[in-house]
Amino acid sequence: MSVQVEILEKNMAKLTIEVSTEEFNSAVQRAYLKQKNRINLPGFRKGKAPRSMIEKMFGSGVFYEDAANSVIPTAYEEAAKETDLEIVSQPEINITQIEAGKPFIFTAEVAVKPAVTLGDYKGIEVEKVITEVTPEDLQAELDKVREQQSRVISVEDKAAENGDIVVIDFEGFQDGEAFTGGKGEDYPLTIGSHSFIDNFEEQLIGKKAGDETEVHVTFPEDYQEEALAGKPAMFKVTVKEVKVKELPELDDDFAQDISEFDTLEEYKEDLKKQLLEKREKTARDIKEDAIIEKVIENAQMEIPEAMIRTQMNQMADDFAQRIQNQGISMEQYFQFSGLDNKKFGEQIRPQALKRIQSRLVLEEIVKAENIEVSEEEIKKEIEKMATAYRMTVDKVEEMLNDEYKEGMKLDIAVQKAIDLIVAASVEIEA
């Protein structure tokens, strides 16, 4: 295998990778052996037809696709290691030569890590974030806790109000015809949650258990079902129950039920302390984000589109995994949210770009400041992992390869770069 590198514009590069004739022929033979049992050829028992007869019947390239698919990943990985490029995207593969008796040649276009020219990154001015906890803040948190500890009870002969839960059966119609996906039974809907189409919930205010009503709505112009987008519809709704939340009294008994404290005053003091810690952490995060944002503005770099797409794909995969752990597929999420792949991509693109820019400038600061990471710092990080996964330190170290440890080392260095620019920043009054 051989590789040639061509540097393109906008931090892109093209790798031309050549796989020897012998190696590709071996891949074709493996593809034949893999597929032959599925091929029927007149005059031969299934799986017994010679490769030459199959190629004569179906064409000389009948096994080329499988052979190419088996060769490309390994050949690309080897070629990428041979180059001095810092590749930061998935490759865009194009086959340029695939013929009998000739080397197999393909190209891989990739994004390479952009150069960064830092501007000012010390002495960045940021607005001071207020972290005090007011009595109103504490009361709001107490109300939230009461809400969490509330119980839902069904109330007879009560007209539904904002904040109440109505259990409904519904069916949607357009031009007198029921439409797919517009029917539900025993659906608990909190009025004011805005989880249904605009104006749907408001039309249930004042209704009681047993009431039947018609709800008229207009679907949003960007609704995921094109047949319904921007169209008026009518829902037949039956209110089966009206439920209200019953909140516990704020007293010493309440404090004893939900905490380790004997009195409400003690619980409130602890809650205030927790709120202050959260505010301070949030303030630190806001300060860090603001400083990094200004460091990015002061720097110069050209981000290749392929790098952004790769980051977006990683974020999409992570998001899909998270919601899958909650029992929701991406298809269901798109249905609930009114998004599709394109709109979802547009939504996460700014965040993907920001992540790339942030990492690039911070890694450049690591270089500029000669930030180093000690073995002791790496050991502490491994100890944290061991605690989190309830494993011994030795066991965790066994599982981590050198590449992962290098990544961990860079992550620690990047955090030290953040600490450096935050410590060097200047807070100003808002």
Side-chain angles (χ1 to χ4, degrees), residues 402-415:
D402 290 341
E403 185 179 353
Y404 188 91
K405 286 183 179 179
E406 281 302 311
M408 180 188 297
K409 188 175 181 179
L410 182 55
D411 287 343
I412 296 170
V414 163
Q415 184 56 53

Side-chain angles (χ1 to χ4, degrees), residues 65-125:
E65 184 177 351
D66 267 11
N69 288 339
S70 70
V71 165
I72 287 172
T74 303
Y76 167 73
E77 186 176 347
E78 291 177 5
K81 286 179 181 177
E82 280 189 23
T83 71
D84 294 328
L85 302 175
E86 285 192 75
I87 296 172
V88 290
S89 74
Q90 293 299 315
E92 184 178 319
I93 302 294
N94 285 293
I95 295 172
T96 57
Q97 180 171 288
I98 183 167
E99 297 179 37
K102 293 185 179 182
F104 172 59
I105 303 174
F106 67 96
T107 63
E109 284 199 20
V110 294
V112 295
K113 188 175 180 179
V116 178
T117 302
L118 290 171
D120 292 336
Y121 59 88
K122 292 180 180 177
I124 300 294
E125 292 186 348

Side-chain angles (χ1 to χ4, degrees), residues 361-363 365-366 371 412-422:
V361 296
L362 290 168
E363 288 183 5
I365 291 170
V366 168
I371 294 174
I412 296 170
V414 163
Q415 184 56 53
K416 292 173 80 169
I418 293 172
D419 295 341
L420 182 150
I421 60 176
V422 169

Side-chain angles (χ1 to χ4, degrees), residues 238-394:
T238 299
V239 179
K240 302 177 80 171
E241 284 184 88
V242 176
K243 296 182 177 183
V244 297
K245 290 180 180 178
E246 191 175 72
L247 302 178
E249 291 293 328
L250 269 180
D251 52 24
D252 291 345
D253 289 338
F254 173 76
Q256 292 165 16
D257 287 342
I258 65 163
S259 74
E260 65 208 44
F261 300 102
D262 294 326
T263 68
L264 179 62
E265 286 307 311
E266 290 175 314
Y267 172 66
K268 286 167 70 174
E269 280 302 313
D270 184 71
L271 192 60
K272 183 177 181 179
K273 180 183 175 183
Q274 292 179 42
L275 274 176
L276 184 59
E277 288 174 355
K278 286 181 184 177
R279 290 276 175 91
E280 288 173 344
K281 183 184 182 306
T282 300
R284 286 196 299 271
D285 292 343
I286 292 171
K287 184 177 179 179
E288 282 183 9
D289 287 346
I291 293 168
I292 293 171
E293 183 70 39
K294 289 189 178 181
V295 173
I296 290 170
E297 289 176 8
N298 294 340
Q300 293 180 359
M301 64 193 113
E302 186 174 25
I303 312 298
E305 183 62 31
M307 188 179 187
I308 300 172
R309 286 199 304 270
T310 297
Q311 180 68 52
M312 288 170 62
N313 289 339
Q314 290 174 355
M315 290 171 61
D317 289 344
D318 290 345
F319 181 80
Q321 185 61 53
R322 286 200 304 274
I323 65 171
Q324 187 177 331
N325 292 340
Q326 300 171 24
I328 303 171
S329 68
M330 282 301 287
E331 290 75 15
Q332 290 170 319
Y333 172 75
F334 286 156
Q335 184 178 6
F336 298 152
S337 65
L339 298 174
D340 55 23
N341 272 314
K342 183 180 178 182
K343 290 175 184 174
F344 181 72
E346 291 170 352
Q347 194 175 79
I348 65 173
R349 181 186 169 86
Q351 187 181 354
L353 179 59
K354 177 71 178 297
R355 284 190 186 183
I356 293 168
Q357 292 171 324
S358 300
R359 186 71 178 195
L360 288 174
V361 296
L362 290 168
E363 288 183 5
E364 196 63 26
I365 291 170
V366 168
K367 292 179 187 176
E369 294 289 332
N370 295 314
I371 294 174
E372 296 182 350
V373 177
S374 67
E375 289 299 320
E376 186 63 29
E377 288 171 313
I378 295 174
K379 185 178 177 181
K380 284 182 180 178
E381 197 64 30
I382 292 175
E383 287 172 353
K384 288 179 187 176
M385 292 176 65
T387 302
Y389 291 107
R390 298 181 180 179
M391 298 168 65
T392 65
V393 171
D394 289 344

Side-chain angles (χ1 to χ4, degrees), residues 20-188:
S20 69
T21 306
E22 294 75 21
E23 188 177 344
F24 189 69
N25 281 343
S26 296
V28 173
Q29 178 65 12
R30 289 195 299 271
Y32 157 70
L33 294 174
K34 179 182 174 183
Q35 295 187 41
K36 68 175 185 175
N37 290 330
R38 300 196 296 268
I39 297 175
N40 286 316
L41 208 63
F44 295 93
R45 285 183 296 150
K46 192 172 183 179
K48 298 298 182 181
R51 174 179 154 187
S52 59
M53 293 299 295
I54 296 172
E55 289 175 336
K56 186 175 181 180
M57 174 68 73
F58 296 104
S60 60
V62 63
F63 301 115
Y64 282 180
E65 184 177 351
D66 267 11
N69 288 339
S70 70
V71 165
I72 287 172
T74 303
Y76 167 73
E77 186 176 347
E78 291 177 5
K81 286 179 181 177
E82 280 189 23
T83 71
D84 294 328
L85 302 175
E86 285 192 75
I87 296 172
V88 290
S89 74
Q90 293 299 315
E92 184 178 319
I93 302 294
N94 285 293
I95 295 172
T96 57
Q97 180 171 288
I98 183 167
E99 297 179 37
K102 293 185 179 182
F104 172 59
I105 303 174
F106 67 96
T107 63
E109 284 199 20
V110 294
V112 295
K113 188 175 180 179
V116 178
T117 302
L118 290 171
D120 292 336
Y121 59 88
K122 292 180 180 177
I124 300 294
E125 292 186 348
V126 286
E127 288 186 358
K128 186 175 182 178
V129 180
I130 297 173
T131 57
E132 68 172 317
V133 177
T134 66
E136 292 76 19
D137 295 332
L138 182 58
Q139 185 60 50
E141 191 66 19
L142 284 168
D143 291 343
K144 190 187 297 181
V145 176
R146 288 179 72 203
E147 182 81 16
Q148 292 167 351
Q149 298 297 319
S150 66
R151 63 190 187 107
V152 177
I153 58 172
S154 185
V155 183
E156 294 183 5
D157 202 34
K158 179 188 185 303
E161 301 175 35
N162 205 37
D164 289 346
I165 300 167
V166 289
V167 179
I168 60 173
D169 292 345
F170 61 88
E171 185 171 16
F173 296 84
Q174 190 178 69
D175 296 329
E177 297 290 330
F179 56 82
T180 305
K183 187 174 184 179
E185 295 181 351
D186 296 322
Y187 189 93

